[in-house]
Amino acid sequence: MTIYLPFFVLFALLAFGVPVAISLALSGALGIFLATNADVLVGILTASPGSALSTYELLTIPMFILMAEFMGVSGITSSLFDAIAKWTGRVKGGVGIATVITGAAFGAISGSSTAAAATLAKTSVPAMLNEGYPQRVAGSIAAISGTIAMLIPPSVALIFYGLLSGVSIADLLIAGIVPGILVTLTIALTIKVLLFRHPLPESYRGYSFQEKIQSLKVAGPFILLFLVVTGLIYTGIATPVESSALGAFGALLIAGKSGNLNGERFRTALVNTCAISAMIGLIIVCAHIFGYFITFTGVTREMVAWVGGLDVSPYLILAFIVLLYLVLGLFLDLISILILTVPVVLPLVISLGFDPLWFGVIVILLSEIGIVTPPVGINVFVVAKSANIPVESIFSGVLAYVLALLALVFVLIVFPDLVLWLPSTAG
Amino acid sequence: MTLTTLAVPGPLAWLDRAVRYVENLLVGVAALMIVVAMVVTCVDVFLRYVLSSPLSWSFDFIVLYLLPGSYFLAFSYALRMGTHLKVDYFGERMNDRVQGVVLFIVGLASVVLFAYIAWFYLQEGWHAWVDGDVMGGVIPWPMWPADILVFLSCGAFALRLLTTSFHQLLALGGSRT
Amino acid sequence: TQSVTLRFADWMPESAFTTSYGAKAFMEKAIELSKGQIKFQYFPAEQLGKGSESLTLLQSGVADVANVAPAYVSEHLPLSGVVELPGAVTDSCTAANKFYELAQPGAVLYEAEYKKNKVRPLFTANLGPYRILTNKQELSSPVDFSGLKLRTAGGAMAMTADHLGANPIRMQGSDVLASLSRGTLDGVFWGLISIEDWSLETALDQMIPNLSVGSFNVTYSISDRTWNKLSPELQEILVKAGQYANQNHCDYVNRAETQAITDLQEKHGIQPLNLPENELKQVQGELTEVHKKWAEPLNKRGLPADEVVEQVF
Ligand code: NA
Ligand code: NA
């Protein structure tokens, strides 16, 4: 009973719309009190804010957020789609494909899927609608393409997983690249298959060579930032913290050069960064409190022991874990899922003989699927709102992509080297 | 219904304005700290690679002051802006009054929680100041600013939680004063 | 008879040798001596909190026993940082026993800082002397440290590096290997016995095995609030188990240090550069300046830093 009550309270508070952080703090406090006593509870509550943040690598998160904010100011993120669409104009399903590629490219400068979906909804959805794509198709392509951003570095989710699991953040960021590209290809392939089965009246539009070269203007800053962030980490020249600060600084220079930067926009970019960092910081502190409850229950140790005593294939248990993530993904956002599950599930996964680096990528891919599934699918809500498309029609359109990505998860489970190879070659 | 359309009793409006002033100030400090963290880290990389003499103090400085500053000082501002993550799905399908009462009670519980944390860190900061606590090393960084950062962040957050809780309660009763 | 379960918070991982030869040896001994009256709920690997939280965990009652590393709580246990001074530790057992003695009631360290923090050290684990190791052939004799970028754990070791004319760098342990390989670090202050735990042997080429530039100590302490609730018999048993673990751990470190010097040279080709006697004396003499620099601000705060230095050296 003492174990279940705090979990029940947690889910009740979440359901009532209490902020995730406060739900974690209050239910965690109740759990600690039930498991120990009031003295211990007070000790933990007061120690948490001072200690939850003492990890130098946490600096990467505000720096990467700031980088994406400055890139937003530069205006390059919004012209990205137009530039890419000029190159795919003659391809069947070209605007759709351009949307996916834009999602991947956007991922190289932003660590947030929702920001990616919002940008795609504003730029690529109108273009797809113009081409005659039904709302359902256009909205679902934008919503699903947003998810790539969490795998391609930088990624707040991968950093967060690294902090929770102790896995090297540099390795995680590099490990996201190949799966990120595979997700891009999977979505593009699914678009092709869908178009083959239900052809659309498309106007193929070619662009002149000059127009194409012109469009490369946005490529320069992009490649620069990608090299700074991912290149430096891959070669081992800079640590993730250093590359995140250099990335933010580089984005500031790009914003300055674009001519769009002024005092007001600089201020807004910083204030937005502060607000998002505070949101994450509060969750970190409160999850720290909830984490004590989990530790005191000993539930992790018991589960590892229990599963260890079962005489079943590790893959059967893995299948169960995959299912668990899909269910959590129906309701919860990525950060909450990571905080609630990684401390409990990871020791189990390691005891089954799986690689924690590989598991991080799998977990993030599964949770990414969750952000486009009903009833709570943040990416779908964002696209629906900014493109003015009914939520239900995007949810129905996204189903095919979800199935395709589940197939990809299966492939990554069978061939873990697809995830592990690139980081193993890093300097 | 937005907050501004509600007739808000005087003391609450006054508290709201006061907290607004404080949290704008805190967000300004947080923003400054993020810029300083960016610049210090970039300068450190430059000095290391180009002049081969990196800063020896940046690590402690960032972990002790800039990280808590960047992550904590905007707690309250983020609450005002609605940035904190929450699940809306079930609440939207719930009786407004029931939800409103629950949110009010939970809000007051959180006020107590964060006010207590703020009070604790104020005392810690005071002791650290009186005892002259420093982090050992080439630069003896004083410890009290780290405690005071938590005090300010959680204190402002508690006050903002107080105003939002009462606004929620008022919203239940419509525009009655 | 009284039976008690103690919550034991350790920031070190279960795999660390200090956990095996210190924490676990202590627990096993205490269980054995008490015939099972004393039990432990052991939380390794930061499960209850980081090293910097150890004192808070004890004071608040979250833990009864904790691994308290003075270097991580230097603001609360500044005098215990004396082991980080150059030359303070040459032999792990001498150092651990001396420190244990000074941290017991009535002695200077206990009275000056453990008492105030409401904790009592049951035993000490000393990780042996820290040495200077460098990549490439950075060191020559006579030794010139000027301009070398050396990673230290901060605190007094940073002051030592500074005093030698080197540039003390702080970075996370996990970043050290990469920084050595790409040359953004020239070397480290490190315990020879834990070089292989961090795979640093592949990136290092030279070491000075006979110059001690500091050390790292942890104490396993019990909170006063828990201590005072225990019967005198159980207190006695914890003291005995602590003394046993104190010796057990330092014996291991001394054995391992001798082995490590051989291994680093023969298996990994790290060349030892033992300073000639006269030069060693000269460097050690210069480094007593660090002792003064370390003690001065503490003396000013009314802490008996001079007395602690005198007792240790
Ligand atoms: Na990304
Ligand atoms: Na969902």
Side-chain angles (χ1 to χ4, degrees):
Chain A
M1 183 60 196
T2 47
I3 290 188
Y4 301 115
L5 186 63
F7 279 108
F8 173 77
V9 170
L10 172 66
F11 288 112
L13 291 176
L14 289 176
F16 273 104
V18 175
V20 174
I22 291 178
S23 306
L24 284 166
L26 293 178
S27 56
L30 175 69
I32 293 164
F33 177 73
L34 292 176
T36 59
N37 56 52
D39 278 357
V40 172
L41 171 60
V42 169
I44 288 168
L45 290 180
T46 48
S48 288
S51 59
L53 276 194
S54 47
T55 307
Y56 179 57
E57 285 180 318
L58 271 171
L59 187 61
T60 47
I61 293 179
M63 289 300 116
F64 281 138
I65 297 171
L66 188 60
M67 176 174 106
E69 287 286 335
F70 283 146
M71 284 308 275
V73 171
S74 76
I76 284 173
T77 50
S78 47
S79 53
L80 193 58
F81 172 74
D82 288 336
I84 290 171
K86 289 201 170 72
W87 291 82
T88 59
R90 285 189 182 281
V91 181
K92 198 169 168 58
V95 250
I97 305 284
T99 304
V100 187
I101 297 173
T102 309
F106 190 86
I109 53 144
S110 166
S112 152
S113 306
T114 312
T119 308
L120 292 174
K122 270 179 246 156
T123 55
S124 64
V125 171
M128 285 188 276
L129 295 177
N130 274 343
E131 289 285 314
Y133 282 46
Q135 286 191 332
R136 188 173 65 91
V137 176
S140 58
I141 292 176
I144 197 80
S145 299
T147 64
I148 305 167
M150 277 297 194
L151 284 168
I152 303 224
S155 157
V156 172
L158 286 167
I159 295 170
F160 221 87
Y161 177 84
L163 294 168
L164 287 169
S165 64
V167 175
S168 152
I169 290 176
D171 283 350
L172 277 166
L173 290 173
I174 300 305
I177 298 175
V178 170
I181 293 169
L182 291 177
V183 170
T184 310
L185 292 175
T186 305
I187 298 173
L189 196 69
T190 313
I191 294 175
K192 282 292 207 183
V193 171
L194 292 176
L195 284 180
F196 181 73
R197 295 184 55 192
H198 309 281
L200 292 173
E202 274 190 287
S203 61
Y204 296 102
R205 182 161 168 225
Y207 291 86
S208 72
F209 185 67
Q210 242 174 346
E211 281 178 297
K212 284 184 182 172
I213 293 303
Q214 191 73 12
S215 74
L216 285 179
K217 264 191 181 168
V218 299
F222 249 87
I223 291 165
L224 174 76
L225 268 190
F226 187 74
L227 286 180
V228 166
V229 172
T230 309
L232 293 185
I233 295 175
Y234 179 76
T235 55
I237 292 175
T239 63
V241 171
E242 291 166 351
S243 77
S244 69
L246 289 170
F249 187 68
L252 176 62
L253 293 182
I254 291 168
K257 196 165 170 288
S258 73
N260 292 333
L261 187 69
N262 58 30
E264 181 59 26
R265 290 192 180 127
F266 180 74
R267 204 188 66 93
T268 309
L270 273 171
V271 169
N272 288 346
T273 305
C274 290
I276 301 170
S277 302
M279 179 266 279
I280 294 174
L282 190 64
I283 289 189
I284 292 174
V285 170
C286 297
H288 198 71
I289 296 172
F290 194 80
Y292 273 104
F293 158 61
I294 300 275
T295 303
F296 282 136
T297 61
V299 65
T300 307
R301 230 174 322 155
E302 280 167 24
M303 212 167 73
V304 171
W306 179 70
V307 172
L310 296 177
D311 189 25
V312 295
S313 156
Y315 286 96
L316 185 70
I317 296 161
L318 188 66
F320 178 77
I321 292 172
V322 167
L323 198 66
L324 169 80
Y325 276 96
L326 290 174
V327 170
L328 288 174
L330 296 179
F331 301 99
L332 292 173
D333 65 280
L334 181 47
I335 300 286
S336 310
I337 292 177
L338 290 179
I339 279 179
L340 287 177
T341 61
V342 170
V344 183
V345 174
L346 186 65
L348 177 64
V349 168
I350 292 174
S351 78
L352 293 173
F354 295 105
D355 189 300
L357 176 60
W358 166 85
F359 185 65
V361 171
I362 296 291
V363 163
I364 286 160
L365 184 51
L366 288 170
S367 313
E368 285 292 85
I369 291 175
I371 65 176
V372 294
T373 57
V376 181
I378 297 175
N379 268 22
V380 171
F381 296 158
V382 166
V383 172
K385 199 168 168 191
S386 33
N388 201 19
I389 299 173
V391 169
E392 310 79 63
S393 77
I394 303 183
F395 275 137
S396 73
V398 132
L399 185 67
Y401 302 100
V402 168
L403 294 176
L405 289 184
L406 284 176
L408 177 62
V409 170
F410 183 78
V411 170
L412 295 180
I413 288 173
V414 176
F415 304 104
D417 279 343
L418 287 172
V419 177
L420 297 172
W421 169 73
L422 193 60
S424 75
T425 67
Chain B
M1 182 177 317
T2 61
L3 297 181
T4 46
T5 63
L6 287 169
V8 170
L12 190 54
W14 180 86
L15 181 63
D16 186 66
R17 269 201 306 278
V19 178
R20 199 172 278 254
Y21 182 78
V22 172
E23 63 201 9
N24 289 349
L25 203 71
L26 294 184
V27 131
V29 178
L32 185 70
M33 286 185 159
I34 287 178
V35 172
V36 171
M38 178 183 81
V39 171
V40 166
T41 310
C42 290
V43 167
D44 194 23
V45 174
F46 176 80
L47 290 176
R48 177 172 303 169
Y49 280 95
V50 182
L51 304 180
S52 197
S53 83
L55 303 171
S56 57
W57 49 267
S58 61
F59 185 96
D60 288 339
F61 181 63
I62 288 173
V63 172
L64 194 55
Y65 306 133
L66 299 184
L67 266 188
S70 322
Y71 272 102
F72 290 168
L73 284 173
F75 275 177
S76 167
Y77 176 83
L79 185 64
R80 185 174 102 209
M81 292 300 163
T83 315
H84 290 296
L85 275 184
K86 55 187 191 334
V87 180
D88 291 324
Y89 176 76
F90 303 98
E92 282 161 7
R93 286 153 184 77
M94 213 175 264
N95 179 304
D96 281 353
R97 276 174 182 271
V98 175
Q99 192 196 12
V101 171
V102 169
L103 287 183
F104 178 68
I105 294 168
V106 170
L108 290 190
S110 337
V111 171
V112 173
L113 175 64
F114 283 94
Y116 182 79
I117 293 175
W119 166 239
F120 178 85
Y121 277 87
L122 180 62
Q123 289 172 303
E124 288 282 291
W126 171 250
H127 290 143
W129 164 268
V130 171
D131 297 349
D133 286 351
V134 294
M135 191 185 238
V138 177
I139 298 185
W141 297 106
M143 298 301 289
W144 64 266
D147 294 319
I148 295 306
L149 278 175
V150 180
F151 159 70
L152 291 171
S153 309
C154 292
F157 189 58
L159 292 175
R160 177 53 70 198
L161 280 165
L162 192 65
T163 67
T164 50
S165 300
F166 275 100
H167 276 303
Q168 253 146 4
L169 191 69
L170 287 172
L172 281 183
S175 54
R176 123 199 124 178
T177 49
Chain C
T1 53
Q2 189 185 15
S3 172
V4 62
T5 301
L6 301 176
R7 260 198 303 273
F8 189 149
D10 199 338
W11 53 269
M12 286 182 166
E14 252 184 307
S15 57
F17 65 78
T18 298
T19 306
S20 318
Y21 292 91
K24 285 188 176 166
F26 164 75
M27 286 189 284
E28 279 160 20
K29 200 61 167 180
I31 293 169
E32 178 200 316
L33 292 176
S34 70
K35 301 191 177 65
Q37 266 175 281
I38 298 176
K39 295 184 196 69
F40 293 94
Q41 234 184 329
Y42 181 58
F43 295 95
E46 298 186 343
Q47 283 182 43
L48 287 189
K50 298 206 173 70
S52 56
E53 293 168 77
S54 51
L55 279 178
T56 326
L57 292 173
L58 290 175
Q59 287 157 356
S60 61
V62 175
D64 303 301
V65 179
N67 176 342
V68 178
Y72 294 161
V73 284
S74 58
E75 69 278 21
H76 298 299
L77 301 174
L79 294 173
S80 297
V82 66
V83 297
E84 297 165 33
L85 290 178
V89 176
T90 47
D91 170 281
S92 184
C93 280
T94 313
N97 291 331
K98 188 77 201 170
F99 193 91
Y100 177 84
E101 187 191 307
L102 294 180
Q104 292 306 307
V108 59
L109 278 179
Y110 177 82
E111 298 298 329
E113 52 192 23
Y114 289 91
K115 192 177 179 181
K116 205 163 40 177
N117 282 294
K118 302 190 178 67
V119 300
R120 166 187 299 252
L122 292 170
F123 69 102
T124 299
N126 175 273
L127 303 198
Y130 274 40
R131 315 291 189 186
I132 298 175
L133 299 99
T134 56
N135 56 8
K136 296 185 259 18
Q137 306 293 317
E138 299 282 1
L139 300 175
S140 60
S141 193
V143 174
D144 179 17
F145 296 100
S146 64
L148 288 187
K149 295 177 298 265
L150 301 177
R151 191 268 184 184
T152 77
M157 280 191 259
M159 294 161 85
T160 302
D162 196 44
H163 194 79
L164 290 171
N167 191 346
I169 306 297
R170 276 207 76 184
M171 61 170 65
Q172 305 194 111
S174 54
D175 289 337
V176 171
L177 177 58
S179 302
L180 282 171
S181 316
R182 66 180 116 102
T184 53
L185 270 184
D186 301 315
V188 292
F189 282 27
W190 213 275
L192 295 183
I193 56 175
S194 26
I195 290 286
E196 290 188 33
D197 294 344
W198 296 83
S199 311
L200 301 185
E201 70 278 4
T202 55
L204 291 167
D205 297 299
Q206 273 189 307
M207 59 180 165
I208 307 180
N210 67 343
L211 177 67
S212 160
V213 289
S215 186
F216 190 87
N217 236 18
V218 302
T219 76
Y220 290 83
S221 298
I222 187 166
S223 68
D224 284 349
R225 57 198 288 165
T226 304
W227 178 260
N228 293 333
K229 281 184 216 152
L230 296 175
S231 67
E233 297 84 58
L234 293 188
Q235 290 181 343
E236 174 77 30
I237 285 168
L238 287 177
V239 169
K240 285 229 174 82
Q243 287 165 345
Y244 167 78
N246 207 67
Q247 191 64 36
N248 191 54
H249 183 270
C250 74
D251 281 342
Y252 168 78
V253 172
N254 280 347
R255 281 199 306 275
E257 163 106 352
T258 318
Q259 186 64 42
I261 295 178
T262 317
D263 284 355
L264 290 178
Q265 184 182 1
E266 288 174 6
K267 282 199 207 150
H268 307 298
I270 300 178
Q271 289 311 311
L273 180 80
N274 279 303
L275 295 185
E277 199 58 32
N278 58 335
E279 217 175 300
L280 184 64
K281 282 267 151 32
Q282 191 200 332
V283 175
Q284 283 169 338
E286 281 169 25
L287 287 177
T288 51
E289 283 301 311
V290 176
H291 303 176
K292 290 182 194 136
K293 229 197 276 180
W294 175 80
E296 191 191 85
L298 296 171
N299 287 329
K300 273 193 193 143
R301 285 165 63 187
L303 298 168
D306 281 340
E307 193 193 333
V308 170
V309 170
E310 209 172 295
Q311 294 264 10
V312 169
F313 289 90

